Amino acid sequence: VLQYLYDKDGRERAGIAAEVITYRARSAVRDVGKALSLSADCVDALAKQVDGYHPESSLADRCREVGLDPQSAIGQRFVYVVQELMGFPRHLSQHVGGMVMTRGPLCELVPIENAAMEGRTVIGWAKDDLEELGILKVDCLALGMLTAIRRCFQLIEQHQGISWTLAGIPAEDSRVYDMICQADTMGVFQIESRAQMSMLPRLQPRCFYDLVIEVAIVRPGPIQGEMVHPYLRRRAGKEPVTYANAEIARVLEKTLGVPIFQEQAMRLAVVAAGFTPGEADQLRRAMGAWRRPGVIDAFRRKLIQGMLARGLSRKFAEQIFQQMRGFGEYGFPESHAASFALLVYVSAWLKCYYPAHFVAALLNSQPMGFYAPAQLVRDAQTHGVTVRPVDVNASDWDCTLEPAPQTEHGCDLRLGFRLLVGVSERHIQRIMAARRQGPYVSIADLARRTGLSRAVLQRLARADALTGLQAKTAHRRQALWNALAQEENPKLAPLLQGLADDDEDDGLLCLPALDPQQEVLQDYKTMGLSLRAHPISFHRKILDHIHVTPAGQLARRTSGQVVYVAGLVLLRQRPSTAKGITFVTLEDETGTVNLIVRPAVWERFAKVSRHSPAWLASGQLQHQERVIHVVVEKLADLGTVLSAGG
């Protein structure tokens, strides 16, 4: 495709399609606020209070919280216009992968306009318009996991001398499926989300086609079409697998009589309702219009009448139509699910057999997936990977592996400078280039050989990357003092040399080290993670005093019992199919807790639910098919609770 982009005269023959971006809550609030001349502080605070993807039913309450009276003339106008603007087209953007390819110059067929990115152009027509005009559009989708897998393969070849490819990974490994069935899938492609992790212990995939179904079934289409629970019941033997006739059995036998893939819906339309291949293709297009779910309703009469004419019951016909209608909320073709399932299996296999290599590849491919580097590193540690800190004499820009023959995996993970806040790759390249002459012996030596500014040295010191250069007082605070003492004016450098070089420090300026909790907080500020301890661990005595159950002990509690849990908020997810329910994951030093927050609770504790980075939650514990949740009844900001002493 890239070779095809330009003809011999340099004119474009392929371009990226546009897509229409519509208003959601936050963008509507910001634009309406500007149009009504509300203060920038008020608009910014209000935009942060609303949910990004869903119309805010309590927008008036959010206005009161930021000092805007919703009953005033300006307040009423603001609320009305925001609600009216929801879903209205805002601007054209670049489609994620839709590429138009032409025989001749692209500009002779479609209008082209400049994109926001310099040197990038975009076709001025949206993807739906291109389809109506019959113009060829090819979807070229890029996946971050492909990059991570490639980097993992490279690390394995570099350190283990083994060359792997996607096609060469051993198939149907029971150890890999054991790990998947336990939902030990953080970092694994597609099945690391909260919904997928909850589904894995229930579906218990034991072969590749099970993964194909797993990928496809946790989608809005199957969920809205009420296909998930019937499939699980039939798979568990709790419900008989029945078919209306032999033709339908041939279409649905692989999925136990439940249509899960778009191809099955198309074949059902042919064999059960008498659709022609052309009409079935029109049905496919309607199912593909997943953000326009009403499109498929036009086929309802023909589908039901066709099934009734072939002796099928009205109940069965209505059920099949509702399942097909669910695909209008986004369902997967089987071929798509199968290609994704391959990446699921390969990434799970790499996590199982090469955890150090796998997490290094994930960290070097950020941003991607659901989890921050802190969670990925902690998960690697639970799998036996030794993680070493960022060090100016050992780390590269990327995370790397260091030989450790005595360990199970043969390698330890060395964190890279890319994880540090405020440090650019350009500066690190200077450090790595000068380091080839030999290791740095002091902070002054580092400053002298690299020419880095004092500001950069301070960032490295605050991130604890310079501690190893101090001969006498190896701690972060002393490193920061010595970095501050590096004089950027060459004429003054000799005067401060004794303060700037640890080797010449006589000990008169030794500073006290930070306490363990302060060290962890500094780690999170400068790197977003800590190898020392989890922040919640420092408050366990207070949490025990107020009867907070650690995440690792929830499995021992009785289902239905009211429990208190606390931790850092890792994820807030509100799928479109969840009827306003928000799924939240908390983390403490013992593991993670899955919370279910109903809309009424979310709104009642709006400030905490939307903005607090750490929660204290109480609710009913639920054990269901090896999945543990807490249905939240009350929320509190954990920082406020701890400040008050519990």
Side-chain angles (χ1 to χ4, degrees):
V1 172
L2 294 177
Q3 293 174 349
Y4 189 86
L5 283 175
Y6 300 95
D7 60 20
K8 60 182 179 180
D9 297 323
R11 294 177 297 182
E12 289 179 293
R13 294 195 301 182
I16 303 298
E19 64 177 351
V20 178
I21 302 300
T22 58
Y23 275 99
R24 291 175 178 170
R26 287 176 184 167
S27 56
V29 164
R30 291 190 183 278
D31 283 5
V32 174
K34 290 177 184 177
L36 296 179
S37 299
L38 298 180
S39 70
D41 290 344
C42 177
V43 172
D44 186 60
L46 189 54
K48 292 177 180 178
Q49 291 284 356
V50 300
D51 294 327
Y53 289 86
H54 300 273
E56 209 31 70
S57 58
S58 56
L59 183 58
D61 293 337
R62 303 286 83 78
C63 290
R64 292 188 186 93
E65 292 175 2
V66 300
L68 175 63
D69 182 6
Q71 301 302 319
S72 65
I74 191 73
Q76 290 181 9
R77 188 176 303 171
F78 174 82
V79 172
Y80 172 77
V81 177
V82 167
Q83 292 174 341
E84 286 294 304
L85 209 54
M86 294 295 297
F88 193 82
R90 186 177 189 273
H91 64 274
L92 282 181
S93 181
Q94 179 177 309
H95 190 273
V96 292
M99 180 172 287
V100 172
M101 304 175 70
T102 63
R103 178 180 299 174
L106 185 68
C107 61
E108 295 179 0
L109 182 66
V110 293
I112 303 173
E113 62 183 56
N114 291 327
M117 183 181 295
E118 185 178 354
R120 181 72 59 85
T121 59
V122 63
I123 293 169
W125 291 344
K127 57 183 178 63
D128 297 323
D129 299 327
L130 293 169
E131 184 175 352
E132 289 293 330
L133 293 168
I135 296 175
L136 174 65
K137 179 175 70 72
V138 179
D139 283 346
C140 302
L141 301 179
L143 296 173
M145 181 52 69
L146 287 173
T147 298
I149 289 174
R150 172 180 57 80
R151 286 176 168 161
C152 190
F153 284 164
Q154 291 172 343
L155 288 170
I156 293 171
E157 185 169 11
Q158 177 185 347
H159 292 276
Q160 313 300 134
I162 303 173
S163 180
W164 291 107
T165 64
L166 288 175
I169 296 296
E172 307 294 56
D173 189 307
S174 61
R175 181 178 166 189
V176 175
Y177 285 109
D178 289 342
M179 183 186 79
I180 292 174
C181 289
Q182 295 168 10
D184 182 11
T185 55
M186 185 178 290
V188 175
F189 181 65
Q190 284 289 301
I191 58 172
E192 65 169 351
S193 72
R194 167 76 176 274
Q196 290 281 7
M197 282 187 169
S198 296
M199 181 62 68
L200 289 170
R202 300 162 66 189
L203 195 142
Q204 290 286 297
R206 300 305 311 181
C207 66
F208 180 77
Y209 198 75
D210 287 348
L211 293 180
V212 177
I213 292 175
E214 173 73 35
V215 167
I217 202 169
V218 187
R219 302 289 161 186
I223 294 171
Q224 293 285 65
E226 297 183 354
M227 309 170 203
V228 177
H229 294 296
Y231 178 82
L232 292 175
R233 288 195 298 267
R234 295 181 180 195
R235 184 179 175 89
K238 298 178 180 179
E239 179 180 302
V241 180
T242 57
Y243 305 99
N245 57 45
E247 288 183 317
I248 292 177
R250 283 193 290 271
V251 175
L252 299 179
E253 60 184 349
K254 290 198 297 185
T255 54
L256 305 181
V258 179
I260 292 176
F261 305 109
Q262 285 186 3
E263 295 93 332
Q264 290 177 310
M266 293 172 61
R267 291 198 292 270
L268 275 177
V270 174
V271 303
F275 274 43
T276 65
E279 290 171 332
D281 187 62
Q282 291 177 0
L283 178 64
R284 175 194 64 81
R285 292 172 182 270
M287 291 187 296
W290 55 275
R291 282 189 175 168
R292 295 179 293 154
V295 174
I296 201 171
D297 289 335
F299 293 88
R300 181 181 185 277
R301 182 177 179 183
K302 184 173 180 60
L303 280 165
I304 291 179
Q305 287 185 347
M307 285 186 271
L308 291 177
R310 281 157 180 77
L312 300 172
S313 69
R314 177 169 288 276
K315 180 180 179 182
F316 177 82
E318 290 283 359
Q319 179 185 4
I320 292 297
F321 173 73
Q322 290 302 324
Q323 290 172 337
M324 290 183 180
R325 194 172 185 270
F327 284 107
E329 295 288 344
Y330 188 42
F332 261 26
E334 186 176 14
S335 56
H336 194 166
S339 62
F340 272 23
L342 174 62
L343 299 184
V344 169
Y345 180 80
V346 170
S347 55
W349 188 90
L350 292 171
K351 177 183 173 72
C352 183
Y353 287 98
Y354 296 97
H357 306 70
F358 183 64
V359 72
L362 288 180
L363 293 173
N364 294 337
S365 302
Q366 293 295 308
M368 62 172 291
F370 283 83
Y371 300 97
Q375 286 79 57
L376 295 174
V377 167
R378 191 168 294 111
D379 181 67
Q381 289 175 317
T382 63
H383 287 80
V385 176
T386 300
V387 183
R388 300 177 181 177
V390 178
D391 186 277
V392 74
N393 269 329
S395 295
D396 293 347
W397 173 252
D398 282 337
C399 298
T400 55
L401 298 177
E402 297 179 356
Q406 73 282 4
T407 65
E408 177 185 355
H409 308 296
C411 291
D412 291 343
L413 173 66
R414 173 68 72 176
L415 298 182
F417 286 101
R418 65 162 46 244
L419 298 176
L420 304 188
V421 176
V423 178
S424 72
E425 186 174 5
R426 175 172 52 88
H427 294 138
I428 302 309
Q429 292 298 336
R430 287 164 63 178
I431 292 175
M432 293 168 59
R435 197 173 64 195
R436 297 189 187 102
Q437 305 169 7
Y440 301 109
V441 297
S442 66
I443 296 176
D445 180 42
L446 172 67
R448 193 164 47 242
R449 289 163 58 182
T450 62
L452 291 174
S453 67
R454 185 163 54 190
V456 175
L457 293 175
Q458 289 177 56
R459 293 192 197 107
L460 294 173
R462 286 193 174 96
D464 206 23
L466 305 184
T467 300
L469 301 182
Q470 303 179 122
K472 298 179 181 178
T473 53
H475 60 79
R476 188 196 316 250
R477 183 176 277 164
Q478 190 68 47
L480 178 59
W481 170 262
N482 291 333
L484 287 168
Q486 301 305 314
E487 178 53 55
E488 296 177 345
N489 186 340
K491 295 181 180 179
L492 298 179
L495 299 177
L496 298 175
Q497 187 173 4
L499 304 180
D501 196 327
D502 293 351
D503 292 338
E504 298 175 19
D505 183 20
D506 58 7
L508 295 176
L509 296 173
C510 288
L511 301 176
L514 300 175
D515 65 39
Q517 185 174 353
Q518 291 174 328
E519 290 280 7
V520 170
L521 291 177
Q522 276 299 113
D523 287 342
Y524 271 84
K525 286 181 180 179
T526 57
M527 191 166 50
L529 62 90
S530 178
L531 301 180
R532 293 176 168 87
H534 193 280
I536 300 298
S537 64
F538 297 102
H539 308 287
R540 182 50 60 188
K541 287 186 178 180
I542 295 178
L543 296 177
D544 287 342
H545 179 70
I546 58 177
H547 308 294
V548 172
T549 304
Q553 296 181 15
L554 286 176
R556 306 175 193 171
R557 297 290 189 267
T558 305
S559 183
Q561 179 180 354
V562 174
V563 296
Y564 287 85
V565 293
L568 305 181
V569 178
L570 300 187
L571 297 172
R572 294 176 174 92
Q573 294 176 279
R574 185 185 289 182
S576 59
T577 55
K579 300 179 181 179
I581 292 175
T582 305
F583 300 97
V584 180
T585 301
L586 299 186
E587 179 190 64
D588 64 17
E589 75 277 21
T590 67
T592 58
V593 186
N594 294 325
L595 307 182
I596 297 174
V597 187
R598 294 194 174 98
V601 177
W602 182 268
E603 290 301 328
R604 183 150 51 107
F605 302 97
K607 288 186 177 180
V608 175
S609 63
R610 285 174 171 82
H611 305 296
S612 174
W615 289 3
L616 171 64
S618 66
Q620 188 179 75
L621 184 66
Q622 288 187 350
H623 290 253
Q624 187 176 12
E625 298 182 23
R626 294 183 288 270
V627 177
I628 299 175
H629 294 100
V630 176
V631 181
V632 176
E633 297 171 357
K634 295 181 181 179
L635 281 177
D637 176 69
L638 182 58
T640 303
V641 173
L642 295 175
S643 298

PDB file of all heavy atoms in Angstrom, residues 100 110 153 159 179 515 518 533 548 574 646:
ATOM      1  N   VAL A 100      -8.607   5.091   0.461  1.00  0.00           N
ATOM      2  CA  VAL A 100      -9.127   5.063  -0.901  1.00  0.00           C
ATOM      3  C   VAL A 100      -7.958   4.927  -1.868  1.00  0.00           C
ATOM      4  O   VAL A 100      -6.968   5.650  -1.768  1.00  0.00           O
ATOM      5  CB  VAL A 100      -9.932   6.340  -1.208  1.00  0.00           C
ATOM      6  CG1 VAL A 100     -10.306   6.400  -2.685  1.00  0.00           C
ATOM      7  CG2 VAL A 100     -11.172   6.398  -0.347  1.00  0.00           C
ATOM      8  N   VAL A 110     -11.562  12.591  -5.974  1.00  0.00           N
ATOM      9  CA  VAL A 110     -12.169  13.033  -4.716  1.00  0.00           C
ATOM     10  C   VAL A 110     -11.490  14.315  -4.246  1.00  0.00           C
ATOM     11  O   VAL A 110     -10.333  14.580  -4.588  1.00  0.00           O
ATOM     12  CB  VAL A 110     -12.027  11.946  -3.624  1.00  0.00           C
ATOM     13  CG1 VAL A 110     -12.838  10.726  -3.973  1.00  0.00           C
ATOM     14  CG2 VAL A 110     -10.565  11.572  -3.410  1.00  0.00           C
ATOM     15  N   PHE A 153       9.630 -10.774  20.039  1.00  0.00           N
ATOM     16  CA  PHE A 153      10.386 -11.743  19.237  1.00  0.00           C
ATOM     17  C   PHE A 153      11.852 -11.320  19.121  1.00  0.00           C
ATOM     18  O   PHE A 153      12.772 -12.153  19.202  1.00  0.00           O
ATOM     19  CB  PHE A 153       9.772 -11.855  17.841  1.00  0.00           C
ATOM     20  CG  PHE A 153       8.489 -12.647  17.789  1.00  0.00           C
ATOM     21  CD1 PHE A 153       7.656 -12.563  16.691  1.00  0.00           C
ATOM     22  CD2 PHE A 153       8.111 -13.479  18.833  1.00  0.00           C
ATOM     23  CE1 PHE A 153       6.475 -13.290  16.631  1.00  0.00           C
ATOM     24  CE2 PHE A 153       6.939 -14.208  18.792  1.00  0.00           C
ATOM     25  CZ  PHE A 153       6.121 -14.113  17.684  1.00  0.00           C
ATOM     26  N   HIS A 159      18.422 -12.406  23.274  1.00  0.00           N
ATOM     27  CA  HIS A 159      18.889 -12.915  24.561  1.00  0.00           C
ATOM     28  C   HIS A 159      18.861 -14.433  24.666  1.00  0.00           C
ATOM     29  O   HIS A 159      19.606 -15.007  25.461  1.00  0.00           O
ATOM     30  CB  HIS A 159      18.053 -12.301  25.685  1.00  0.00           C
ATOM     31  CG  HIS A 159      18.268 -10.833  25.863  1.00  0.00           C
ATOM     32  ND1 HIS A 159      19.295 -10.313  26.614  1.00  0.00           N
ATOM     33  CD2 HIS A 159      17.590  -9.760  25.361  1.00  0.00           C
ATOM     34  CE1 HIS A 159      19.245  -8.992  26.585  1.00  0.00           C
ATOM     35  NE2 HIS A 159      18.215  -8.629  25.834  1.00  0.00           N
ATOM     36  N   MET A 179      -3.648 -20.692  31.995  1.00  0.00           N
ATOM     37  CA  MET A 179      -3.442 -19.304  32.395  1.00  0.00           C
ATOM     38  C   MET A 179      -4.620 -18.437  31.939  1.00  0.00           C
ATOM     39  O   MET A 179      -5.122 -17.587  32.694  1.00  0.00           O
ATOM     40  CB  MET A 179      -2.140 -18.777  31.786  1.00  0.00           C
ATOM     41  CG  MET A 179      -1.769 -17.356  32.190  1.00  0.00           C
ATOM     42  SD  MET A 179      -0.309 -16.742  31.304  1.00  0.00           S
ATOM     43  CE  MET A 179      -1.062 -16.316  29.727  1.00  0.00           C
ATOM     44  N   ASP A 515      11.851   9.269  53.957  1.00  0.00           N
ATOM     45  CA  ASP A 515      11.340   8.051  54.583  1.00  0.00           C
ATOM     46  C   ASP A 515      10.719   7.160  53.500  1.00  0.00           C
ATOM     47  O   ASP A 515      10.480   7.610  52.370  1.00  0.00           O
ATOM     48  CB  ASP A 515      10.350   8.371  55.692  1.00  0.00           C
ATOM     49  CG  ASP A 515       9.074   9.046  55.195  1.00  0.00           C
ATOM     50  OD1 ASP A 515       8.562   8.665  54.125  1.00  0.00           O
ATOM     51  OD2 ASP A 515       8.586   9.956  55.880  1.00  0.00           O
ATOM     52  N   GLN A 518       7.690   8.565  51.583  1.00  0.00           N
ATOM     53  CA  GLN A 518       8.064   9.674  50.711  1.00  0.00           C
ATOM     54  C   GLN A 518       8.775   9.180  49.456  1.00  0.00           C
ATOM     55  O   GLN A 518       8.576   9.720  48.365  1.00  0.00           O
ATOM     56  CB  GLN A 518       8.951  10.658  51.480  1.00  0.00           C
ATOM     57  CG  GLN A 518       8.240  11.426  52.576  1.00  0.00           C
ATOM     58  CD  GLN A 518       9.199  12.271  53.396  1.00  0.00           C
ATOM     59  OE1 GLN A 518      10.371  11.914  53.594  1.00  0.00           O
ATOM     60  NE2 GLN A 518       8.698  13.396  53.881  1.00  0.00           N
ATOM     61  N   ALA A 533       7.401  -0.275  47.156  1.00  0.00           N
ATOM     62  CA  ALA A 533       6.199  -0.739  47.860  1.00  0.00           C
ATOM     63  C   ALA A 533       4.984  -0.149  47.174  1.00  0.00           C
ATOM     64  O   ALA A 533       5.096   0.745  46.322  1.00  0.00           O
ATOM     65  CB  ALA A 533       6.237  -0.317  49.333  1.00  0.00           C
ATOM     66  N   VAL A 548     -11.340  -2.784  56.618  1.00  0.00           N
ATOM     67  CA  VAL A 548     -11.223  -2.859  55.158  1.00  0.00           C
ATOM     68  C   VAL A 548     -10.590  -4.192  54.787  1.00  0.00           C
ATOM     69  O   VAL A 548      -9.531  -4.553  55.317  1.00  0.00           O
ATOM     70  CB  VAL A 548     -10.389  -1.688  54.603  1.00  0.00           C
ATOM     71  CG1 VAL A 548     -10.114  -1.885  53.114  1.00  0.00           C
ATOM     72  CG2 VAL A 548     -11.108  -0.365  54.851  1.00  0.00           C
ATOM     73  N   ARG A 574     -17.429   2.399  31.342  1.00  0.00           N
ATOM     74  CA  ARG A 574     -18.887   2.394  31.230  1.00  0.00           C
ATOM     75  C   ARG A 574     -19.254   2.030  29.806  1.00  0.00           C
ATOM     76  O   ARG A 574     -19.444   2.892  28.947  1.00  0.00           O
ATOM     77  CB  ARG A 574     -19.483   3.743  31.604  1.00  0.00           C
ATOM     78  CG  ARG A 574     -21.023   3.730  31.620  1.00  0.00           C
ATOM     79  CD  ARG A 574     -21.602   5.105  31.883  1.00  0.00           C
ATOM     80  NE  ARG A 574     -21.382   5.535  33.252  1.00  0.00           N
ATOM     81  CZ  ARG A 574     -21.824   6.696  33.737  1.00  0.00           C
ATOM     82  NH1 ARG A 574     -22.470   7.520  32.954  1.00  0.00           N
ATOM     83  NH2 ARG A 574     -21.586   7.029  34.991  1.00  0.00           N
ATOM     84  N   GLY A 646      -8.959   7.652  59.624  1.00  0.00           N
ATOM     85  CA  GLY A 646      -9.895   6.541  59.521  1.00  0.00           C
ATOM     86  C   GLY A 646     -11.281   6.898  59.973  1.00  0.00           C
ATOM     87  O   GLY A 646     -12.149   6.074  60.001  1.00  0.00           O
TER      88      GLY A 646
END
